Every structure is written in structure tokens, then in C-alpha cells.
Amino acid sequence: MPLVVYGHPFSSYTQKVLIALYENATPFEFRCIGPDTPLHAAEWMRRWPLRKFPLLVDGERDIAETSIIIEYLQLVHPGPVRLLPEDPMAALDVRFLDRFFDLHVMNAAQHAVDGALTGDAVKRQEGKALAEKKLEVAYAWLEGQLAGRTWAAAGADFSLADCAAAPSLFYADWTHRISESYPVLRAYRTRLLARPSFARAVDEARQFRPLFPLGAPDRD
């Protein structure tokens, strides 16, 4: 049976897993969760009652949480692109950066998105202010961390950390623009957008841009 991914193309965390799959040309079936696919939604909720996507299904096994999904793929369905290094300490660095992008970039941007989704002007402004505060701290740290690097972790290899970074920085920059004060970070985001795996994920989600509650900019 082919691998099955339940998710949505515009979801940052779904894109994170799609990048990993595209990097290794791993065959899978994508089942979009939305109002037009009630059967997909029902099966997804049956398999994962916490109702978070993406969810990977491999035969009778359900795998949730993006970082775990990508590690599972490397263990069970490996390809030519190794997204976690063999060396344990190098792998630890990659895992740390993966968590940084998820927790301190993507989740920070989510404050603004959640505030906008309430429809309340005060909560929208509060969410935006909190997101901007947190993202500025993250951007400043990343500017120094990424200096002299092509990809997020030390070395020249694209990794799990970059799978997390691509959608995180993509949406974070829409939420609170990465200023010219951070040229290293801006250049890294540009490299991520040029990576074929992420470029494909971005293109597949382009039709959903009107859904972005903060207003998707006319770029990227």
C-alpha cells in the first residue's frame, strides 16, 4: 500500500512533511482535508482524534507530529537525501534547530494569525504585537546563527531543520516582514524558496492564498 498523507497544502506543517517527501521522491497519496472532502476528514479524525495535521499513514500505522513523521520516513522509507545526519551530536543540532523554527518562528507567527481569525479588532492587534515581539527576537538570533551557512545546520547538507525553516520563515515574513537589518536571514529564506521541494509545495498552495487572514502579500 502507498503512504498516505492527510493534510492541507496551505498548512505550514503539512508543507514541512511534503518537503521531506519531495526531497526523496517518495511515492505517496495526498488526501486533502477540507469541506469538499468529508470522507477524508472523517477518516483523519478517526485515526487522530487530536485533529492536527499532517498525519502519515503507512499500512496500519499512523504517525503524527511533523518531526516524528520525517524521522520515521528516514528510518522506514529512506531515500538519497538524508535529512538527519548519522553522527548523534550533529543530529542533535539538527533537532534543536527543527524545534526552534517550529516553536519560536512558526508558533510565534501563529499568534497574529489566531488573533486575526477571532474577528475581534483588539485581539487582532494584540496577536500581531505579540507575534512581532517574538519574531524580532527569533530573527535576531537566527541572523547570527546562520552566518556563513548555506543551510540551517552546520555543514552543507539540507536537513530536517530546513524542512521546518522553509514554511516557518515563509509565513513569518508575511506576518512580520524580515527587515533589511537581517540580510543573512533574508538570503536564507530566498534559498529555501528556490529549493525545488519547497518551491513545489508553495506552488501547490498558491490557490489558497486568499485564506491567509492577515492578507497574503503579492510576492513569493
Side-chain angles (χ1 to χ4, degrees):
M1 294 177 63
L3 295 170
V4 175
V5 175
Y6 290 90
H8 192 281
F10 201 53
S11 153
S12 61
Y13 288 111
T14 300
Q15 289 179 4
K16 178 179 169 181
V17 169
L18 290 176
I19 293 166
L21 289 162
Y22 294 157
E23 281 290 323
N24 281 304
T26 305
F28 70 99
E29 176 187 341
F30 186 74
R31 295 181 183 174
C32 186
I33 305 299
D36 298 330
T37 55
L39 294 179
H40 290 175
E43 180 64 11
W44 163 64
M45 288 186 287
R46 183 187 72 79
R47 289 178 176 273
W48 188 228
L50 273 67
R51 301 185 179 190
K52 300 287 186 180
F53 48 70
L55 176 71
L56 177 72
V57 178
D58 187 8
E60 294 302 314
R61 183 161 193 162
D62 301 328
I63 305 98
E65 300 298 332
T66 54
S67 303
I68 303 302
I69 290 171
I70 293 172
E71 291 212 34
Y72 175 85
L73 289 170
Q74 180 159 298
L75 289 170
V76 183
H77 301 278
V81 179
R82 187 178 180 90
L83 295 172
L84 270 163
E86 290 188 61
D87 178 74
M89 291 305 294
L92 191 65
D93 290 341
V94 168
R95 290 187 179 98
F96 165 70
L97 287 165
D98 166 68
R99 302 319 304 133
F100 186 91
F101 284 111
D102 278 2
L103 297 174
H104 302 297
V105 180
M106 193 64 254
N107 285 4
Q110 194 65 39
H111 289 300
V113 172
D114 289 345
L117 287 172
T118 66
D120 182 287
V122 173
K123 290 182 179 178
R124 182 187 181 97
Q125 185 56 41
E126 289 176 346
K128 187 174 186 295
L130 181 58
E132 290 177 354
K133 179 180 178 181
K134 288 178 175 289
L135 286 172
E136 273 298 316
V137 174
Y139 291 168
W141 184 82
L142 285 167
E143 182 70 12
Q145 178 70 17
L146 296 172
R149 299 183 178 186
T150 300
W151 303 114
D157 294 333
F158 190 90
S159 72
L160 165 66
D162 302 294
C163 293
S168 296
L169 291 172
F170 180 74
Y171 288 112
D173 185 62
W174 282 10
T175 303
H176 176 55
R177 189 76 186 265
I178 301 171
S179 76
E180 294 182 1
S181 301
Y182 305 117
V184 171
L185 184 58
R186 287 167 62 94
Y188 174 57
R189 184 178 182 272
T190 298
R191 285 194 297 279
L192 289 168
L193 280 165
R195 186 82 176 185
S197 57
F198 185 48
R200 178 178 173 181
V202 168
D203 283 341
E204 289 173 344
R206 202 170 290 276
Q207 63 179 304
F208 299 104
R209 292 190 178 197
L211 298 176
F212 193 65
L214 302 173
D218 187 21
R219 54 184 170 84
D220 297 328

